[in-house]
Amino acid sequence: YNIAAQYHERVLTKVDSVYGSNSELAANVHKSLGKAYRYCHRYDKSMENYEMASRILNTIDSLNPELSDLYDKMADFCRYAQKDTSAAIQYYLQAIHILKTTFGAHQKIGRYYVALGHLYDGLEEYQTALECYYRALDNDKRVYGENSDWIIQTNSSISSTYRDMGDFEKAIEYLRVNKSIIDQRIEWESPRDKTSQYSAYYRDLGDVNFLQKDYTSALDAYFKKIAVDTSEYRDGGIFIWADYGKIGSAFLCQDDTVKALKYFIQSLELFKDQYSYYGELKEFVDYENDIKQHFSQSDYHHALDCFVDYLKYLHNREDPILSPLAVSIIMMIRQSFSLNE
């Protein structure tokens, strides 16, 4: 990425000398430079080039659709690299303004509204988040129709927000809307697309049922998710280890520690099989041996402690996918502790 940035800087010098520093081509090079510097973790240089591209494009045409793409990149940068939620919100709003003014409805408007919804959800401004999702639905129904993947994903986001609000009835209502769309929809790009949508439905349904302490229904949903995934992927997919962790947590909430630990051990073994890199690390081997040893000795309390330590180890690795999954299972196990002290 450092080499890429160096070449882009050389290109920019050429472009400025031939076309001028305020040309649209110069703006595009600044945009590419912003991306390159971001990957180099030179965040000041990244934002500096994004802002330069923005100034040039605004001078040429303040409603240039290219600006909406740039604002999307700047919002993404503020959101993840700078952790500046307020700035990210403003950039998404500017991107939406350009596309709505120019096109009315547009494919990307729904995505920007959903991104805004996620930001407001993170701020616990749930009503504002829901407003963003409903606007995304309105746009996407006009662009894609009633039964597109985007509609399903936005309904899932709405359900998630209602779940965060503690309104489990509304959360399940939107999941059932998704189930109806998936059941009735005929055209799919591939069978795996349909499988993934059913899988997400059962995952979300299980999580809602778990939170409202309906563990029997949660288990039913998690087992159905595994059955759906296994029908498409022989090994159940790379995240099946997390499903087994959730199942173990549900049994733990029902005070069935032995069965819970059996699923936790299966979760660990599946993880090791699918992420061989971790399976070869000494720390991972130690956790696995300790859990199995304590379990074989009927020392379930220490076996459970070791499993939680293993999840904390995954979380501390800060993998963008594995870390949140590990945290979610830790939170589910904590719920079982509060129930069964």
Side-chain angles (χ1 to χ4, degrees), residues 9-39:
E9 290 284 8
R10 291 166 63 181
V11 170
L12 184 62
T13 301
K14 293 283 188 180
V15 168
D16 286 350
S17 65
V18 176
Y19 299 96
S21 59
N22 291 318
S23 66
E24 188 165 350
L25 185 55
N28 287 331
V29 178
H30 278 296
K31 187 163 61 172
S32 296
L33 260 173
K35 182 177 180 180
Y37 279 126
R38 177 180 175 181
Y39 287 135

Side-chain angles (χ1 to χ4, degrees), residues 174-332:
Y174 275 89
L175 292 179
R176 286 174 177 160
V177 171
N178 275 355
K179 176 68 159 49
S180 177
I181 292 173
I182 300 167
D183 287 343
Q184 296 175 26
R185 184 168 156 186
I186 297 172
E187 294 184 2
W188 297 86
E189 287 191 17
S190 75
R192 285 190 173 181
D193 288 343
K194 188 172 185 177
T195 298
S196 66
Q197 295 292 4
Y198 273 124
S199 176
Y201 163 74
Y202 285 120
R203 177 201 64 211
D204 294 343
L205 182 63
D207 290 348
V208 173
N209 284 324
F210 186 94
L211 285 173
Q212 61 181 344
K213 301 181 181 180
D214 182 356
Y215 303 117
T216 301
S217 297
L219 284 167
D220 179 67
Y222 291 143
F223 280 122
K224 284 180 177 175
K225 178 188 184 301
I226 289 174
V228 166
D229 287 341
T230 306
S231 70
E232 190 65 46
Y233 308 97
R234 183 177 301 176
D235 60 0
I238 61 173
F239 300 126
I240 192 172
W241 68 273
D243 299 328
Y244 276 79
K246 291 181 177 183
I247 289 169
S249 301
F251 278 118
L252 200 60
C253 287
Q254 294 179 324
D255 211 13
D256 192 339
T257 306
V258 174
K259 188 173 286 187
L261 279 166
K262 287 180 179 178
Y263 278 99
F264 287 151
I265 290 171
Q266 282 184 274
S267 170
L268 186 146
E269 290 175 342
L270 286 165
F271 182 89
K272 182 180 67 174
D273 290 343
Q274 293 168 336
Y275 296 89
S276 57
Y277 165 76
Y278 282 95
E280 295 170 359
L281 295 177
K282 180 181 182 301
E283 297 92 336
F284 191 93
V285 173
D286 290 343
Y287 286 126
E288 182 181 22
N289 290 339
D290 288 346
I291 292 168
K292 290 182 176 179
Q293 181 179 350
H294 287 306
F295 183 77
S296 67
Q297 296 172 347
S298 301
D299 186 357
Y300 304 132
H301 179 78
H302 285 104
L304 185 58
D305 281 347
C306 289
F307 184 74
V308 172
D309 287 342
Y310 142 72
L311 291 173
K312 289 179 179 177
Y313 167 76
L314 281 188
H315 167 52
N316 291 334
R317 301 285 296 190
E318 296 185 349
D319 183 285
I321 296 175
L322 301 181
S323 181
L325 286 172
V327 170
S328 69
I329 299 170
I330 290 172
M331 297 304 294
M332 295 170 86

Side-chain angles (χ1 to χ4, degrees), residues 7 28 81 93 130 141 149 161 173 273 279 282 301 322:
Y7 275 105
N28 287 331
L93 289 173
L130 289 172
K141 286 177 181 178
D149 291 347
T161 296
E173 176 187 325
D273 290 343
K282 180 181 182 301
H301 179 78
L322 301 181

